[in-house]
Amino acid sequence: MTKITILIHCKDQSGIIAAVTNFIALNNGNIVYIDQHVDREQDIFFMRLESEFNQNSFDLDAFKKVFENLLAIKFNMKWRIYSSEEKINMALFVSKYDHCLFDILGRYVSGELHVNIPLIISNHLDLKPIADSFKIPFYHIPVSNANKAEAEAKQLKILKEHNIHFVVLARYMQIISKRIIEKYPNKIINIHHSFLPAFVGAKPYHSAFKRGVKIIGATSHYITEELDAGPIIEQDVAHISHAYTIENLIAKGRDLEKIVLSTAIKLHIDRKVMVYNNKTVIFS
Amino acid sequence: MTKITILIHCKDQSGIIAAVTNFIALNNGNIVYIDQHVDREQDIFFMRLESEFNQNSFDLDAFKKVFENLLAIKFNMKWRIYSSEEKINMALFVSKYDHCLFDILGRYVSGELHVNIPLIISNHLDLKPIADSFKIPFYHIPVSNANKAEAEAKQLKILKEHNIHFVVLARYMQIISKRIIEKYPNKIINIHHSFLPAFVGAKPYHSAFKRGVKIIGATSHYITEELDAGPIIEQDVAHISHAYTIENLIAKGRDLEKIVLSTAIKLHIDRKVMVYNNKTVIFS
Amino acid sequence: MTKITILIHCKDQSGIIAAVTNFIALNNGNIVYIDQHVDREQDIFFMRLESEFNQNSFDLDAFKKVFENLLAIKFNMKWRIYSSEEKINMALFVSKYDHCLFDILGRYVSGELHVNIPLIISNHLDLKPIADSFKIPFYHIPVSNANKAEAEAKQLKILKEHNIHFVVLARYMQIISKRIIEKYPNKIINIHHSFLPAFVGAKPYHSAFKRGVKIIGATSHYITEELDAGPIIEQDVAHISHAYTIENLIAKGRDLEKIVLSTAIKLHIDRKVMVYNNKTVIFS
Amino acid sequence: MTKITILIHCKDQSGIIAAVTNFIALNNGNIVYIDQHVDREQDIFFMRLESEFNQNSFDLDAFKKVFENLLAIKFNMKWRIYSSEEKINMALFVSKYDHCLFDILGRYVSGELHVNIPLIISNHLDLKPIADSFKIPFYHIPVSNANKAEAEAKQLKILKEHNIHFVVLARYMQIISKRIIEKYPNKIINIHHSFLPAFVGAKPYHSAFKRGVKIIGATSHYITEELDAGPIIEQDVAHISHAYTIENLIAKGRDLEKIVLSTAIKLHIDRKVMVYNNKTVIFS
């Protein structure tokens, strides 16, 4: 059996759903998931569909070619079709905080994440023992203002050599420059330790403490050139009180950060995220 | 323009989505919402679809007839089709607590609920002034063990005379008997002041206090003959602590109860609930 | 029996708790609630205490005088002592939205709020029928750029005549000027329809939609001269998805707004809020 | 500097807070945390207090002795006093699920948990590699109906040899018998994968699926002889929908389970839990 996921977006038009579902039926596919979204303001249609094909003879490349010719051209679609067997490659960037790293690697080892992790890159050596204990290659690339361009060139080279599909910044404390972002558009996932757009930038827990908020949050988003302003994938919050010190906020925040980041990673791996117009459509 | 909502369920089969969306396209409809669910265990397919028809000549009765002949028979569907203009009639049953009643009537007056409320029935006179101030007819039908059958006969007569489509028990403290339930299957919405299935029956806040739980809840469900065991529509919870007295739990619970009940009412009115096998499918 | 609430704040010093609890014991009081908070950064001590005195001869004025002489002077305390019998006067300011108004008045009628509501002030006539049905005097004071000073003078006059202790802006859509704020410092409670400090100012739901957040919020705070920047009393949030239109956000937000505002009002009435340094201490 | 935590409970009486805080003041201590709770129904007083003593000469044993003689006897208190330097010993019991184990060990390595973990006990070998990678001794003790008494005797022997203060069942799938419970009363922390008291016993996610609940939960509690009925320490919940399969519930539940269990462990380690009457007082 072959199982595929289809993601489509195009201008909203009548008959798209009928055309696509007919096409699946004609190919003897069984639709096991279908959801669509229309952005009425922008007049854009989004669709995610999972289908199973039981015949041994199912040929994904042929299917894609016919899909392109029969449907995509007609409706002027942007589309992606994935086989569920495909496993993509994820790189982790870390610095000194270990809670997100532990959470991701724990899930990885358990088989919860359908992904390969060929490597971890860090600007510090602190977390190397963790990478070692999980037997994942660890690349130490120090970053300073002086060597930033050179360090990023090294990072890019490693990413390319290992055929990395997307990058996760697991509390990596450096700003990623345009050089890397433009190679991985909507493919670099960050965790910001605030409820964006509140408290953009450095030290959000300190700002939250100063402002006296009653709730803190964490936000996972794709990075773009503007700091902490990229498309949001997932957010969550926790109630706090005046009795929380900054240290308490940081401790409480760690639990939010790791769950929110891992949730975003799973959504990305499972092809449930579509990005447009600096926003995301998140399919269930 | 005519806008309709279609709800379908039947045995899961290939080609249903294609057939239905084709049918809408052939009728020049524009699908503005489509969602489906398959219960894999029971092999049941559920679908909810909203479509707009711009032509003046659109004839809902004719559409229904052709839908039945072309699709429903073929796939052995159970289906319902509603025009969005239709406003159904909701009856409220209350006793002495006023928080759910105030919440529902406030939303009703604001136009938030697309429904008519022709009447309120109560076994006590306490809330009559509220009904009066909102200018809704109030029927006082005392209920005792002795007169229960007679009281319910009166209630049924009033519901029938006013062509009531569904009933909301807004903290009505009486058990509804089979006599009424079988006339309104999956059409009587209750609010139970616990996180079901925990704390079935009377005095759930007292039981929650005794058990020392750290979270309380409220559950809105369709009533069935078995007490507090009907299909759940909506639930929500709130964190509490050891410092909460029973009175505090009751006060905190009121906010949960009213929001959960009103949310369930809106889902029902908006035709977003499908019931099967003592569970619900809730469309977004 | 007399029940009192004592609120204290002063520089943190050794022996305050012992001194205050000794004083209560000497007066034959039974402490039924005590909580304290120390802001370590600012070195400020906060305390809230409830005590019951069973003797008929208990004299609150005498108690206050001795408290001042024996304790307050020694520790250089700011303090307030209230009898639980005291009922304060709350004024409501509204415009056209009715959901917060309904929620507050429903609780008021139920006896949930230990307060008097002598009047409602509005710049529009839309909600007068609601005030009438709850039999609360309604003052219609139109506000424009041209007449703002005059309108606020009228408002102040009414507040003074009715001996109003604090004001609630229940989705009152006008900015309150310094003229009124300085007469009611930390005594004007607003509800802002966002998770502050995100989306300050007008149309926060539109901004939330544009930014593509996955959670919306509401914040109740005391107003200060800087817009939406006053001390936060209460916040809550709700999860949303890409499928929410702006209208859906507004509808979902209404439930947040009313519960958050009413919660803040109850905290204020129950003397559970202490303000300092543009933040609040919220006692449980 | 010495920092101590004092936990007291006794019959509610006038003057306890004054007496204790006076005693601290007389010993030149600075109270940095104080909270109390009175169970009005049972008439029991609970108190938690943290105090710092700056003098080098502070003698904890002498302090305890005088505390007993001056205060405990007078008020008939049960009390415990801990130095914050003390690190207690925690044993982990696991079976095959690794998510709670990873979460606990990640926090342990990070220094988030002020505890020693001298050993892990399991009835299966599956998680041995994790114990090895964290360099924690792993004892494999298979358990069957036939050898249960013998296996538990081995477990008890190991716990005693390593001077274990409390035990955490990190998804250990065996029922612990009275033999062990009576040696560790209110010292064995379990995580149950439901919102207790709903879905006691085996396969709660299957039961939740069958009942059609809209929220799932996890509960951490001290075990007692009655299954899943011990004092609750912490609970949390997550919203789900009809679209969740049992596998989805299990996956979503893992995130709840690990955070709830780790939170309960931290509360226990930080001496913030008092147990009475099969309930807990949880200090902040």
Side-chain angles (χ1 to χ4, degrees), chain C residues 156-173:
Chain C
L156 275 175
K157 187 159 170 285
I158 294 170
L159 297 180
K160 201 176 164 195
E161 282 170 6
H162 290 81
N163 191 26
I164 295 300
H165 295 90
F166 75 109
V167 173
V168 170
L169 310 179
R171 297 299 312 273
Y172 180 65
M173 307 300 284

Side-chain angles (χ1 to χ4, degrees), chain D residues 88-92 104-105 108 113 115-120 136-137 164:
Chain D
I88 53 177
N89 297 325
M90 168 169 95
L92 296 175
I104 294 165
L105 296 182
Y108 177 54
L113 302 178
V115 78
N116 300 310
I117 306 182
L119 62 97
I120 295 169
I136 298 176
I164 295 301

Side-chain angles (χ1 to χ4, degrees), chain A residues 98-99 102-103 105-107 109-110 112 130 133-134 243 251-252 254-255 258-259 262-263 266 284, chain D residues 98-99 102-103 105-107 109-110 112 130 133-134 243 251-252 254-255 258-259 262-263 266 284:
Chain A
D98 59 10
H99 54 289
F102 267 127
D103 198 66
L105 295 182
R107 291 170 199 266
V109 167
S110 313
E112 189 178 318
I130 299 175
S133 78
F134 283 88
K252 182 94 174 179
R254 279 197 294 260
D255 286 357
K258 71 186 188 189
I259 301 291
S262 290
T263 302
K266 283 167 74 176
S284 62
Chain D
D98 60 10
H99 54 287
F102 267 127
D103 198 66
L105 296 182
R107 292 170 198 265
V109 168
S110 311
E112 190 179 316
I130 300 176
S133 78
F134 283 88
K252 184 93 173 180
R254 279 196 293 262
D255 286 359
K258 72 187 189 188
I259 301 293
S262 291
T263 302
K266 284 168 74 176
S284 62

Side-chain angles (χ1 to χ4, degrees), chain D residues 27-121:
Chain D
N27 281 273
N28 299 310
N30 184 29
I31 295 173
V32 296
Y33 174 91
I34 182 171
D35 198 6
Q36 57 93 47
H37 170 62
V38 177
D39 184 313
R40 295 264 157 186
E41 274 202 346
Q42 310 281 331
D43 209 26
I44 311 176
F45 172 87
F46 301 87
M47 188 175 187
R48 185 178 183 277
L49 186 146
E50 293 178 13
S51 180
E52 295 170 353
F53 299 87
N54 289 308
Q55 60 275 36
N56 288 328
S57 60
F58 180 79
D59 176 341
L60 183 56
D61 287 329
F63 180 89
K64 286 182 184 178
K65 192 170 282 179
V66 184
F67 184 92
E68 170 68 21
N69 290 336
L70 278 192
L71 292 175
I73 290 170
K74 178 175 172 197
F75 290 103
N76 199 17
M77 291 174 179
K78 307 253 181 196
W79 60 274
R80 294 177 283 158
I81 298 179
Y82 304 97
S83 160
S84 68
E85 277 155 40
E86 239 184 293
K87 231 185 200 178
I88 53 177
N89 297 325
M90 168 169 95
L92 296 175
F93 279 42
V94 299
S95 284
K96 296 184 167 185
Y97 293 115
D98 60 10
H99 54 287
C100 288
L101 181 61
F102 267 127
D103 198 66
I104 294 165
L105 296 182
R107 292 170 198 265
Y108 177 54
V109 168
S110 311
E112 190 179 316
L113 302 178
H114 184 68
V115 78
N116 300 310
I117 306 182
L119 62 97
I120 295 169
I121 288 176

